Amino acid sequence: QVQLVESGGGLVQAGGSLRLSCAASGRTFSSYYMGWFRQAPGKEREFVARISYSGGVTYYADSVKGRFTISRANAKNTVYLQMNSLKPEDTAVYYCAAKYYIAGSSESEYDYWGQGTQVTVSS
């Protein structure tokens, strides 16, 4: 079992930055592929970024590529999402998710989810 708790969301102006954190329980965090997803009001949840268990492989949605960076600190059981040059269309609830060993960009592949953290970008 893995429990995930996101933090770091908030209100920011367009062009600003936020860093989201996702703290995971359990001793095998370093064996889990981690992903970030988001859900805007009235829309389906969508993939944002994912990172391999070692941190050596990352993948981003086109909409955030070049602006967002996913990273992890296995010693701290934490995955991060650094978000720069934020746009109003980035407004959403952001969720982190975990899958043992390997996962892709589909939310159905992930077994564990956090409760989400709200990010609001004002224009």
Side-chain angles (χ1 to χ4, degrees), residues 41-105:
K43 295 187 176 181
E44 293 187 351
R45 191 154 53 185
E46 64 175 4
F47 167 77
V48 175
R50 55 183 164 93
I51 187 167
S52 62
Y53 54 87
S54 67
V57 177
T58 58
Y59 189 77
Y60 299 90
D62 288 343
S63 59
V64 306
K65 202 173 296 181
R67 301 187 297 122
F68 291 11
T69 302
I70 188 172
S71 62
R72 66 191 297 161
N74 286 343
K76 296 182 178 181
N77 280 16
T78 302
V79 64
Y80 305 97
L81 185 68
Q82 177 67 43
M83 306 185 294
N84 298 329
S85 302
L86 282 161
K87 305 175 181 180
E89 50 263 45
D90 295 317
T91 295
V93 177
Y94 283 72
Y95 299 89
C96 71
K99 168 70 175 182
Y100 181 75
Y101 187 61
I102 195 167
S105 303

Side-chain angles (χ1 to χ4, degrees), residues 8-24:
L11 174 64
V12 64
Q13 288 187 332
S17 297
L18 281 175
R19 187 176 82 155
L20 305 183
S21 299
C22 174

